[in-house]
Amino acid sequence: MAREFQRGHKAKISDLTAGTDLYVGVQIAGPGLTFDISCFGLDANEQLSDDRYFIFFNQPKSPEESIQLLGAQAGDTESFRVTLDRIPANIHKLSFTATVDGAGQMSQIGPGYIRIVAGGEEVVRYAFNGSEFTTERAVMLGDFYLKDVWRFAAVGQGFDGGLEALLKNFGGEVAEEEPAAPQPQAAAPSFAPPAQAAAPAPAPSFGAPPAPPAPQAPQPAPSFGAPAAPAPTPQQMHAAPTMAAPLAPHGGTVPPPAPAPAPFGPGQPPQFGQVPGQAPPVPYGQQPPGPYGQQAPAPHGQQPPGMQPPGAPQGVPQGVPQAGAGLQAALQPYKETATGQRWTPQNQQLMRVDLAMGGTPVLARQGSMVMYQGKVDFSYKGAGFAGRIVGNATGQEMQLMRCTGRGQVFLAEDGSHLHAIELQGDGICVSAENVLAFDESLQHEVRRIEGHGIPGGALFTMLFQGTGTVVVKTHGVPVVLPVTPTTFADCNAVVAWSAASQVIISSQVRLRRNAYPGHSGETVNLQFRGAPGNFIVVQPYEV
């Protein structure tokens, strides 16, 4: 039975099917609209570094044929064949997209879907409709991405600019079409009877042959197979606000300041109270005029008109962008970053979470919201009577708020460095002091550790487990070290470690050393042990 995905859902391909020769079908339609459905093969930086892996109607397959465009069949507007074990090592993501060819918007589409079929059986489906979009003309539907193993993610991220915006987002360029050469006019056809109509060819089938009825042999991994008939399309209702880019400034360069009043000179009578030969008083905030016949001194931070570089506008301070750049160029490095993921770092100290993706509320530290867009509700998240007692007794109490709705929330606290850690059924131990936010789908509980423990000398830590993301904050850029029998860390500097690691107190206190005044200050450390793959996170700061 096919698994129904919503926007933001992810899963390992191996959890969906044992096959690696897969059929990907896309169904999308709208009144009076035509669509271009494509697949982008991206590198580790999510860029189209090799144009041969842009699969569309003019390039229907990759060089080794690991990605093939099959056309419309089995009720799908477009379909692909993807052989995962043949994809080259430099391709880390396959992004399946749909763009409107001509006029129109994605808000006009009807119910559609992207689905994966293995051996003729549908294993996953992500359904969408026009209510999820507004003015977008292109949309990223779903991704196959490599993260130790191949995984699938339902994306549903739109772009207002269409195919050109998609290409620029992936680092590609739009090639300009050359005018076609005039075709010679064909001769008029002579009389001939109509040809016999050929019978329609059956749809190609890639399914594995059926097994004999008895005895039942073990079934191999499903091979590539197109679905036999279209399945009913479930409708998913979403409403994701569209992000608009900042408008460009209407004006050009900064206008020059008004000229200063002319000084007293020949042919001008002195003003009231002015001694002949003395310059008139200068109003506050203006530059005094220069002597008669000379230019007035330039304002602070500017050069006189004759000293400015050729072509520079007069009266504009040095360093101001020339015409054509202006405010938009100055703000370009600080624009919002949208990658189509639920959690997106905007910089080292600011994290953005899209609540519309995944449909799971977010629990964040109270007061950590710095900005939000869309319709978002904030409510108090209590720990209950037992939770408050445990939190007060262990020092692992977290004052949380619950963020729900369909918008984007930006989180930060005290300029700390933020790190989004995605859990896929595994666990991590983090001090409550170092937790900024996490998905409500994660299970969290207080775990006791032996000895002095983690920052502040606590005896307890928070254990997060399940599927979701936890955002950890650190003072400065941390370092991640593998756990070995000789791995030690200061209990006031370690931030987090893998849940499977064993923590042991290591003390260097000796009676003879304590008999004398003074010591190194490093008498108690934490020793970590565990199987290969375990880790610790240490910050360059001591609590």
Side-chain angles (χ1 to χ4, degrees), residues 26 148 349 442 460 469 481 502:
V26 176
D148 61 54
Q349 291 89 20
L442 289 176
F460 301 87
T469 300
L481 297 175
Q502 180 185 6

Side-chain angles (χ1 to χ4, degrees), residues 16-176:
L16 303 174
T17 175
T20 58
D21 197 1
L22 306 176
Y23 172 99
V24 179
V26 176
Q27 202 282 327
I28 185 171
L33 300 180
T34 57
F35 298 89
D36 292 331
I37 301 174
S38 312
C39 176
F40 291 83
L42 310 176
D43 58 18
N45 297 320
E46 299 190 1
Q47 296 295 300
L48 184 65
S49 55
D50 191 339
D51 294 340
R52 299 175 300 170
Y53 289 89
F54 175 32
I55 309 303
F56 65 117
F57 58 89
N58 274 347
Q59 187 167 260
K61 60 183 178 180
S62 60
E64 73 291 329
E65 299 186 358
S66 62
I67 315 167
Q68 302 179 44
L69 186 69
L70 302 180
Q73 59 176 312
D76 297 330
T77 310
E78 190 61 86
S79 60
F80 299 83
R81 182 177 185 176
V82 178
T83 310
L84 294 177
D85 50 8
R86 296 179 59 187
I87 295 177
N90 61 311
I91 301 299
H92 289 246
K93 176 181 283 191
L94 304 180
S95 181
F96 295 92
T97 66
T99 58
V100 179
D101 185 9
Q105 299 174 351
M106 286 294 174
S107 59
Q108 301 171 279
I109 66 173
Y113 59 79
I114 179 173
R115 60 175 176 168
I116 301 175
V117 178
E121 180 182 357
E122 183 175 325
V123 295
V124 67
R125 173 185 291 233
Y126 162 51
F128 53 85
N129 55 52
S131 64
E132 302 182 34
F133 311 104
T134 52
T135 60
E136 296 91 332
R137 300 185 63 250
V139 61
M140 294 188 298
L141 301 174
D143 292 343
F144 284 17
Y145 66 100
L146 186 61
K147 185 178 179 182
D148 61 54
V149 294
W150 282 103
R151 306 167 186 258
F152 174 73
V155 180
Q157 178 72 28
F159 289 85
D160 286 350
L163 180 60
E164 184 175 357
L166 273 178
L167 284 169
K168 290 182 179 180
N169 179 69
F170 294 137
E173 296 180 355
V174 180
E176 297 182 359

